[in-house]
Structures are given as C-alpha cells and as structure tokens.
Amino acid sequence: MGAGTSPADPASAGREADGPDSAAEGGSTATGNTEADGGAEAGRPVSGSEAGEPGGGATSAEPDGEAAAPRRSRRFPLFTRDTARPEGGGRAAPGDAPAPARQWPLLTVLCTAGAGLLIVALDPFAEAFRIGTVLIGAALIAGAVLRWVVPSVGMLAVRSRFTDLVTYGLMGTLIVLLALVAQPKPWLDVPILEDAVRFTIR
C-alpha cells in the first residue's frame, strides 16, 4: 500500500468515475485532432511544402524514420556500363556452330581487306598498288551488301542498318574510285577531275 493509492483518494476516485466516458471522449478527441492535423480534411488544399514537392521547403519522411528513395536523374551516366545490341547484330549462324562460323560476315570483310593490304605491302606484280586498293574498297562494299541482305551479321553490325550501309558503301566507293583514277596511267578517266587538277595547279 506504500507505493499504491488508496481507494479513498479523491483524485483516483475522480479518474475512475470518469474512466469510460472520459476515455471515449479522449479517444474521439485524439482521433479528431489526428485527422485534422494529418491533412485528411477534404476541403483544405495541401501546399507544396506540406506535400513534400520539390519546390516546397519541407520534405516528407517515412513513418519508421527511413529516408525516401532518391530519384533517378535523367542525365546520361558518366561511364557507360552497357549498350544495346544494334539491329541485326545477332549471330550469323546458330549457337551450336563453331565460333568462326558465327561471325562469317565480319571475317569475310576482314580477310578480303587484309588480302588487299598484303598485296599493296608486298607489291608482287605490276599495278599491285591499284589492285590491292580496289580489293580493300570492294571488301567495304561487300560489307555494305551483307549488312543489307543478311538479317543477322554479328559483329559487322556497328550502328543501325542505315548508318552501316551508308558508312561501308560510301567509304568503299571512294576507295575504289581513288584507286581507279590514281596516277600514272589511270584506269578511269574523269574529265572533271583533270580540269580541277589543272585549275588548282595553275
């Protein structure tokens, strides 16, 4: 009885007398205050600072005290971690085929261009420079044709189909034309080029 309260205590008696009704009133009052303070009122608009918008001054936090997840930025990352496969960049042969067969379009272009470079470097016969250069240009043109005809060309696909076609075709055509009009004794006579050279020399 030393630490407790006696039944005759007026304060405890008053609390016991008002217990059920006061608890009910207190609960309803607390609930009403919570609803009023919690922003559950339908008629009152919520400002940006209360809703936790970017323009508001206050930010909302989770009920358990955990911070909200950071928003992803729309900027491109500083370091590229992965790239999408270009159109038609799949295997040129089934997966059970040997590794060289899966990349046969790229190997065809590389071997043809390598043969042209070897001919130019070794110069084994007359007009070897011209023939080797034409072979290099023809390899690029063949790459453009393969990129257009074959649905999947493996690593020969670098960008979109249109971009690869323009790049391979334009580069190959220019190399072949330069090889044909190279001096001395060009295989292709273009009067416009001769006039342009004469005009620039004069």
Side-chain angles (χ1 to χ4, degrees):
M1 296 298 292
T5 57
S6 63
D9 191 357
S12 61
R15 283 197 298 268
E16 291 176 0
D18 299 335
D21 297 333
S22 60
E25 291 176 359
S28 62
T29 305
T31 306
N33 293 338
T34 305
E35 293 179 355
D37 297 337
E41 298 176 4
R44 184 173 62 86
V46 181
S47 62
S49 60
E50 294 176 356
E53 295 179 354
T59 57
S60 61
E62 294 295 331
D64 297 336
E66 299 178 358
R71 294 184 179 180
R72 291 186 177 182
S73 175
R74 293 185 179 181
R75 297 181 180 178
F76 290 102
L78 183 60
F79 299 101
T80 303
R81 301 185 183 277
D82 55 354
T83 55
R85 177 181 294 177
E87 178 187 0
R91 290 190 297 261
D96 55 352
R102 301 175 196 168
Q103 302 295 335
W104 68 265
L106 178 65
L107 292 178
T108 301
V109 174
L110 288 180
C111 291
T112 307
L117 288 172
L118 191 63
I119 292 173
V120 172
L122 297 179
D123 196 11
F125 50 85
E127 300 291 342
F129 169 77
R130 198 184 307 274
I131 293 176
T133 309
V134 169
L135 199 58
I136 295 172
L140 291 176
I141 295 176
V145 174
L146 289 174
R147 189 71 174 94
W148 183 29
V149 175
V150 181
S152 298
V153 292
M155 295 179 65
L156 188 63
V158 181
R159 292 290 185 267
S160 65
R161 193 181 301 274
F162 175 77
T163 304
D164 290 342
L165 281 172
V166 172
T167 304
Y168 293 150
L170 186 60
M171 293 292 294
T173 304
L174 287 178
I175 291 174
V176 170
L177 287 178
L178 289 175
L180 294 178
V181 300
Q183 298 292 334
K185 297 179 181 180
W187 289 4
L188 180 64
D189 292 331
V190 182
I192 299 176
L193 294 178
E194 293 180 0
D195 296 339
V197 171
R198 292 174 184 175
F199 178 76
T200 54
I201 291 176
R202 292 179 183 178

